[in-house]
Amino acid sequence: MKEYLVIYEQGDDGTWGAYCLDLPVYAGADTREETAALMREALAGHIEALREAGIEVPEPMHQAEFIAA
C-alpha cells in the first residue's frame, strides 16, 4: 500500500477541502473528519480506476514536515 500526501485547508466559511499533490483527487465537506473520509474513498476509487484501465499508478513523490520557527 502506498501513502500519498493529502493537504487539508479550512475555508473562511469553516468548511474543509483536501487535495492530493500526486493524483488529481479532491474532496470537501463541513468537517475535517468528513473530508478525510471522502478523500480516502476518492483516492481508493481513483487508484482502482487507474488499475482497471491498465494505467500505472504513480508513485508518491511528495512529503511534508512541520518545522518550528
Side-chain angles (χ1 to χ4, degrees):
M1 178 180 283
K2 300 173 185 179
E3 291 187 343
Y4 291 92
L5 177 64
V6 173
I7 305 297
Y8 293 91
E9 296 178 342
Q10 188 173 26
D12 293 338
D13 62 356
T15 61
W16 286 84
Y19 58 95
C20 178
L21 295 173
D22 294 308
L23 299 169
V25 178
Y26 309 88
D30 289 334
T31 68
R32 188 183 184 288
E33 292 78 17
E34 291 173 305
T35 302
L38 291 172
M39 196 64 181
R40 283 190 291 275
E41 292 175 18
L43 280 169
H46 183 76
I47 290 169
E48 181 180 342
L50 289 175
R51 288 181 176 147
E52 288 176 358
I55 299 170
E56 185 176 341
V57 177
E59 291 294 322
M61 301 295 292
H62 295 88
Q63 297 180 5
E65 177 181 357
F66 285 101
I67 298 176

